[in-house]
Amino acid sequence: SHTVTLSASQKIKLLETYHIYEQKANNPYIAALFIQPNCRISVYTSGKIVFQGKNAEQEAEKWDANLAISKQDIVKNSKKIPEMEIQIGCDETGVGDYLAPLVSAACYITPEIRTALAGLTIQDSKQLSDEYIQKIAPEVRKKVPHAVSMLSNEQYNQFTAHHFNAHAIKTFLHNKTIGALLTSYPQINRSTPIIMDQYASKKNYENYLVEKKITPIYLPTHFETKAENKFLSVACASIIARAHFLTYMQVQNKQYDMIFHLGAGKQVDAQAIKLRSKYGEAELKKLAKWHFANTNKI
């Protein structure tokens, strides 16, 4: 069991992140309850958030502000493992956004590329403003071999219709992105370590792909909690994925003549109701991750 206390903005982000696991809480002192396969997350009315279960420590670490690592630490931590000097990192954005797509990016880092990036502040995109991400992304893309894959929510819903859960969908997209990177840059050694933020065990990650008969399979060699703060390749992937996501949202905003809210909170519900009223349910289904709890509320 691990207990953390978060700021109001962090708490909102947590609620948005775990909302697909939300369950009814019978305890009057629990404001929200989320139950994952290996972790139970209780948000108490007192403000404390308790993580319990096999993955409690791993999940709690994602929200402990004291674990944030600076750019200097990213470089330092990567260099602690000599064989990781050359690395592929993969990260995604859009997982918890009801009205936005899922985007994955993979990046290839060598000591020479690391040096070329030295003048930029590169870290987990969640710790950077969207404005800064859009500013530095062109430079990162220019200097770092990378690949990007995206699932619109219309495509995302096709996967859920074929019984892919959220983790299986994310695994499929990462596997596709890593494959695209290796295909686009044949000079990359196929034995290069692949690093990813830990959201599943290696066994489960492979099982998701095997069960759905996905080939070829590119297995991560390194699952790390908060990988985007420890490895430059994952931090770059986080930035490139977020920049692609933001560009897509600008187009969607213009197409529907509104600024789409991110996450899955009450503002998103209200916006989805307006979209359904104006364009119909079929159009809303193209824009929304339909299996989210928001759909029933709407």
Side-chain angles (χ1 to χ4, degrees), residues 180-217:
L181 176 71
L182 295 175
T183 300
S184 299
Y185 300 92
Q187 69 272 27
I188 297 177
N189 191 314
R190 293 307 194 260
S191 64
T192 300
I194 299 172
I195 308 162
M196 199 174 294
D197 191 52
Q198 185 165 13
Y199 63 88
S201 67
K202 287 183 181 180
K203 182 179 179 181
N204 284 345
Y205 186 97
E206 184 175 12
N207 285 344
Y208 288 137
L209 298 170
V210 171
E211 287 172 5
K212 301 300 182 181
K213 300 180 181 179
I214 305 297
T215 57
I217 291 176

Side-chain angles (χ1 to χ4, degrees), residues 219-268:
L219 283 180
T221 52
H222 235 71
F223 272 120
E224 288 275 343
T225 57
K226 300 186 77 67
E228 58 270 65
N229 278 329
K230 299 176 183 177
F231 298 96
L232 189 58
S233 59
V234 185
C236 288
S238 177
I239 287 169
I240 289 175
R242 186 67 178 178
H244 188 95
F245 175 92
L246 293 171
T247 298
Y248 180 92
M249 291 308 298
Q250 287 173 349
V251 174
Q252 184 170 297
N253 291 344
K254 186 175 181 180
Q255 181 180 351
Y256 290 89
D257 193 26
M258 65 170 64
I259 305 299
F260 279 79
H261 294 296
L262 301 180
K266 291 181 180 178
Q267 283 186 318
V268 172

Side-chain angles (χ1 to χ4, degrees), residues 42-288:
S42 302
V43 181
Y44 283 85
T45 54
S46 64
K48 292 191 179 298
I49 298 166
V50 178
F51 297 80
Q52 296 169 298
K54 183 178 178 181
N55 290 344
E57 183 176 9
Q58 171 188 320
E59 292 297 322
E61 282 181 351
K62 295 178 181 179
W63 302 97
D64 189 340
N66 295 324
L67 296 177
I69 300 175
S70 67
K71 177 201 167 193
Q72 290 74 21
D73 291 328
I74 293 170
V75 176
K76 180 181 177 183
N77 285 346
S78 294
K79 289 187 175 181
K80 285 180 181 178
I81 311 173
E83 67 269 25
M84 302 289 275
E85 281 294 307
I86 297 176
Q87 56 185 251
I88 293 169
C90 205
D91 201 27
E92 82 290 325
T93 189
V95 172
D97 297 305
Y98 184 61
L99 296 173
L102 180 63
V103 180
S104 165
C107 290
Y108 175 67
I109 293 293
T110 65
E112 293 76 20
I113 294 170
R114 187 186 301 278
T115 300
L117 293 170
L120 299 174
T121 299
I122 295 176
Q123 58 194 59
D124 176 13
S125 66
K126 291 188 289 295
Q127 297 173 3
L128 302 171
S129 70
D130 287 344
E131 292 75 18
Y132 182 74
I133 288 169
Q134 290 172 308
K135 179 181 177 181
I136 67 169
E139 193 71 15
V140 176
R141 283 193 289 255
K142 185 168 67 176
K143 293 180 177 180
V144 179
H146 66 278
V148 177
S149 300
M150 189 192 82
L151 284 179
S152 68
N153 281 342
E154 186 174 16
Q155 295 169 319
Y156 184 99
N157 293 333
Q158 290 171 5
F159 277 90
T160 59
H162 286 86
H163 309 293
F164 279 68
N165 64 28
H167 281 178
I169 293 173
K170 186 158 62 170
T171 299
F172 163 80
L173 196 60
H174 283 324
N175 191 72
K176 178 182 177 181
T177 309
I178 295 165
L181 176 71
L182 295 175
T183 300
S184 299
Y185 300 92
Q187 69 272 27
I188 297 177
N189 191 314
R190 293 307 194 260
S191 64
T192 300
I194 299 172
I195 308 162
M196 199 174 294
D197 191 52
Q198 185 165 13
Y199 63 88
S201 67
K202 287 183 181 180
K203 182 179 179 181
N204 284 345
Y205 186 97
E206 184 175 12
N207 285 344
Y208 288 137
L209 298 170
V210 171
E211 287 172 5
K212 301 300 182 181
K213 300 180 181 179
I214 305 297
T215 57
I217 291 176
Y218 305 99
L219 283 180
T221 52
H222 235 71
F223 272 120
E224 288 275 343
T225 57
K226 300 186 77 67
E228 58 270 65
N229 278 329
K230 299 176 183 177
F231 298 96
L232 189 58
S233 59
V234 185
C236 288
S238 177
I239 287 169
I240 289 175
R242 186 67 178 178
H244 188 95
F245 175 92
L246 293 171
T247 298
Y248 180 92
M249 291 308 298
Q250 287 173 349
V251 174
Q252 184 170 297
N253 291 344
K254 186 175 181 180
Q255 181 180 351
Y256 290 89
D257 193 26
M258 65 170 64
I259 305 299
F260 279 79
H261 294 296
L262 301 180
K266 291 181 180 178
Q267 283 186 318
V268 172
D269 289 343
Q271 197 163 52
I273 289 169
K274 290 180 181 178
L275 285 164
R276 182 173 181 264
S277 176
K278 185 174 182 179
Y279 297 103
E281 189 168 296
E283 189 68 15
L284 175 62
K285 193 169 184 178
K286 294 178 183 179
L287 292 168

Side-chain angles (χ1 to χ4, degrees), residues 3-43:
T3 301
V4 299
T5 302
L6 303 179
S7 67
S9 61
Q10 286 176 312
K11 184 178 176 181
I12 291 171
K13 183 66 176 176
L14 180 141
L15 295 175
E16 292 174 348
T17 298
Y18 294 116
H19 74 95
I20 60 173
Y21 302 106
E22 189 168 5
Q23 301 286 333
K24 184 179 179 180
N26 295 321
N27 186 334
Y29 297 105
I30 295 179
L33 175 66
F34 307 96
I35 300 179
Q36 293 181 309
N38 293 306
C39 186
R40 177 190 175 98
I41 304 160
S42 302
V43 181

